[in-house]
Amino acid sequence: MMMLRSHAWLLIPTLLAGPANNRPAPVGMVHSMSLSSSGGTARFAIGVSGPVTIREVTYTDPDRLVIDLEGATLGDLDTYDGLRRGAVRAVRAKQHTESVVRLVLEFDRLPAYTLDKGTAGVITVAYADRDFEKWSARPGQVPAVRPILASASAEPRELAAGPMRSTQMSSAAVQLRDETRQDDRRITVDFDRTPINEVIRAFAKVSGRSIVLGAGVKGEVDMTIVNQPWPFAFEAVLASQGLSATEMRGGIIRVDSPGQLASIDSVEVLQTQLVRLNYSRADGVAAAVQGLITSRGRIVADTLSNSLIITDTRSRIANVVDFVRGMDVRTPMIAIEGKIIYVDRTDLEQLGLKYDIGTSQQFFNRILQRCCDPATGQPYNPNINVVNLGGNAVSAVSNADAIITGSALDLIFSTAIGGFSVTSFLSALERVELTDVEATPLVHTLDHQRAQILSGEETPVRVIDASSIGQVGQAPRANVTFKQTGIQLTVTPHVTNNRQIVLEIFAERSSIQPLAAADLGFTIPTQRVVTRLLVEDGETAVSGGLSVTTVTRNRAGIPLLSGLPFIGPLFSFSENRENRRDLIILVTPRILDDAVPLN
């Protein structure tokens, strides 16, 4: 079994302390950037040295997050490669002013994010996104070291200390908990039947990580890797030997067979941690996080204190707790102002003429009653018509049943023509009815929570029990129900990642009107809108509009005469009715407060 040549290992410290590391980093310097994703969460990590002041602002069209680091200078970093990663379209960095570095993240749609500077020297922007290949900005190129060629050598040809672009590793590789601490370096190496323990030791020196090899792991590595990130190379070595890796407490990487790692996991000490939630409901978060718990762990929701009691292995519980705290975000408060405008206008014109022709011996007693009966001296019964059967006589009533209710003008004209008494009756009415309702309801609610506001009344409505009608000695039974009428607005908002608002709206205006005939109940005119809208913050949207115009024209009169031009209205009753109803519903949502990012 061939061992590594000692002179090859002498290159490692020299390469690790290459020219890029010999340059002193100025105070307040941005020396690295990386964009990665893991478990549905994307992170943009900014490596800084020295104290800086953080300022952030978001813009639309296009959606972008701008971060200004005051008191910092920009190191010699590579530019973004231009690939789309999840929702990110571009990453830009520049020295905005002499002491301000400006970083821009451009998105397809601006997500809800959190900005954290809790880790010393690292500023992290985290948001929900699908998994994608990692990108990291590397410093300017380091002079490459020529590979050391050895035809029968067991040592690495070259462990280049140049920076690298790394990606998230699969289950066979190491899951790095803090991606900002990765020593992103590319390596070129040639293993020729090298013992696995020597290979693992070489990766530990290059990466700067503590890697522990299982006691029963044996084997030799025979492969060549050219200019690859060390996590990729490490993953390839593990895959070739049928090994897996897991990260333990303190960031130590344990390498062993999958079965051995599983057995270690099954006996790992369980740990319990209490997480108090501020904004989210404990039972809802528990259901969402249940899939992250191992088979030995459990999660219990305490609704009284709104807390989660999480029990899991020591190596997993930290990730679960971080995920739970990432879900406990502040829910935006939304003010929804509505305006309901309803106008109901009715114009009515009625005009009619009646004629009564009769003699003292014969007449109709329907419109103009004659008094009195010469035989008895009593007034004639209005329902009895006097007819002279002893000779020729003429009497007539025109438009006898026509009537104008609530007429504004009644005019009577009477004259005698020969032996006839001719009386004409004129009735006229012009009426304008106007109903103007303008309601401005205002309601506040949380995101995803339904809000309802009602301004109206409940009217009792009597309902007759038909089965009780006709029972001897018992009055018909009646039940009383209450009908709610008035102005009602129900809204369920949803704030999107780019601060637009989706509204589910139910708006109604109703009133109750009794019927003219006695005990016939009520009519309930109702105007209602049910819709779903997407609006901007503070934008006024027309959620509903309705305009109805009804024109009714009626004419009744004496046949032939009422149809004559010009003089036809003298022998008829006419009615012109025009009704116009307008309804407009406006909605204006405003986000009062949003999740507060960390500065």
Side-chain angles (χ1 to χ4, degrees), residues 360-395:
S360 58
Q361 291 79 28
Q362 177 172 301
F363 53 85
F364 287 96
N365 202 26
R366 297 180 60 183
I367 300 178
L368 182 64
Q369 286 77 37
R370 273 77 170 181
C371 184
C372 295
D373 187 351
T376 62
Q378 298 296 323
Y380 286 107
N381 188 338
N383 297 321
I384 295 177
N385 298 318
V386 177
V387 179
N388 184 8
L389 300 178
N392 296 329
V394 176
S395 61

Side-chain angles (χ1 to χ4, degrees), residues 340-411:
I340 301 176
I341 303 173
Y342 176 73
V343 179
D344 187 350
R345 179 185 178 93
T346 301
D347 295 331
L348 176 64
E349 294 181 357
Q350 290 178 306
L351 178 66
L353 283 157
K354 298 181 182 181
Y355 297 95
D356 186 306
I357 302 176
T359 64
S360 58
Q361 291 79 28
Q362 177 172 301
F363 53 85
F364 287 96
N365 202 26
R366 297 180 60 183
I367 300 178
L368 182 64
Q369 286 77 37
R370 273 77 170 181
C371 184
C372 295
D373 187 351
T376 62
Q378 298 296 323
Y380 286 107
N381 188 338
N383 297 321
I384 295 177
N385 298 318
V386 177
V387 179
N388 184 8
L389 300 178
N392 296 329
V394 176
S395 61
V397 176
S398 67
N399 300 326
D401 293 330
I403 186 173
I404 296 179
T405 303
S407 61
L409 175 65
D410 288 326
L411 180 64

Side-chain angles (χ1 to χ4, degrees), residues 358-554:
T359 64
S360 58
Q361 291 79 28
Q362 177 172 301
F363 53 85
F364 287 96
N365 202 26
R366 297 180 60 183
I367 300 178
L368 182 64
Q369 286 77 37
R370 273 77 170 181
C371 184
C372 295
D373 187 351
T376 62
Q378 298 296 323
Y380 286 107
N381 188 338
N383 297 321
I384 295 177
N385 298 318
V386 177
V387 179
N388 184 8
L389 300 178
N392 296 329
V394 176
S395 61
V397 176
S398 67
N399 300 326
D401 293 330
I403 186 173
I404 296 179
T405 303
S407 61
L409 175 65
D410 288 326
L411 180 64
I412 301 176
F413 175 76
S414 179
T415 186
I417 302 177
F420 298 94
S421 175
V422 180
T423 305
S424 61
F425 300 84
L426 181 143
S427 297
L429 173 65
E430 182 176 357
R431 184 171 66 233
V432 177
E433 300 176 357
L434 177 63
T435 302
D436 188 353
V437 178
E438 183 173 338
T440 309
L442 175 64
V443 63
H444 294 72
T445 184
L446 293 175
D447 190 17
H448 297 288
Q449 300 298 317
R450 187 180 70 171
Q452 182 176 10
I453 187 171
L454 171 67
S455 175
E457 57 190 12
E458 290 188 347
T459 303
V461 179
R462 187 161 59 97
V463 180
I464 303 297
D465 187 358
S467 63
S468 65
I469 299 176
Q471 297 182 8
V472 179
Q474 183 177 353
R477 293 192 302 269
N479 298 322
V480 176
T481 61
F482 288 87
K483 178 63 180 176
Q484 190 177 74
T485 58
I487 303 294
Q488 180 178 351
L489 177 65
T490 302
V491 182
T492 303
H494 167 61
V495 180
T496 63
N497 289 335
N498 60 345
R499 294 182 61 85
Q500 290 182 311
I501 305 174
V502 178
L503 297 176
E504 296 180 4
I505 300 175
F506 175 89
E508 180 181 279
R509 182 268 174 190
S510 60
S511 61
I512 192 165
Q513 296 179 359
L515 294 176
D519 204 25
L520 288 182
F522 303 88
T523 60
I524 304 177
T526 304
Q527 298 80 38
R528 179 182 300 130
V529 172
V530 180
T531 185
R532 183 181 174 93
L533 299 176
L534 176 63
V535 297
E536 300 287 345
D537 181 15
E539 178 185 5
T540 300
V542 180
S543 61
L546 176 67
S547 180
V548 179
T549 301
T550 303
V551 178
T552 305
R553 301 186 186 276
N554 297 322

Side-chain angles (χ1 to χ4, degrees), residues 182 194 203 224 286 349 510 551 559 573:
Q182 294 185 33
T194 305
F203 275 105
T224 300
E349 294 181 357
S510 60
V551 178
F573 267 69

Side-chain angles (χ1 to χ4, degrees), residues 46 52-57 65-69 112-119 122-126 278-279 325-326 328-330 594-599:
I46 309 167
V52 296
T53 302
I54 305 173
R55 295 289 183 269
E56 59 174 304
V57 66
L65 168 64
V66 178
I67 302 174
D68 286 344
L69 305 180
Y113 66 91
T114 59
L115 193 149
D116 183 17
K117 59 176 182 178
T119 304
V122 178
I123 302 168
T124 305
V125 178
N278 295 320
Y279 309 107
R325 288 173 175 165
D328 186 28
V329 295
R330 189 176 191 178
D594 204 342
V596 179
L598 300 176
N599 290 326

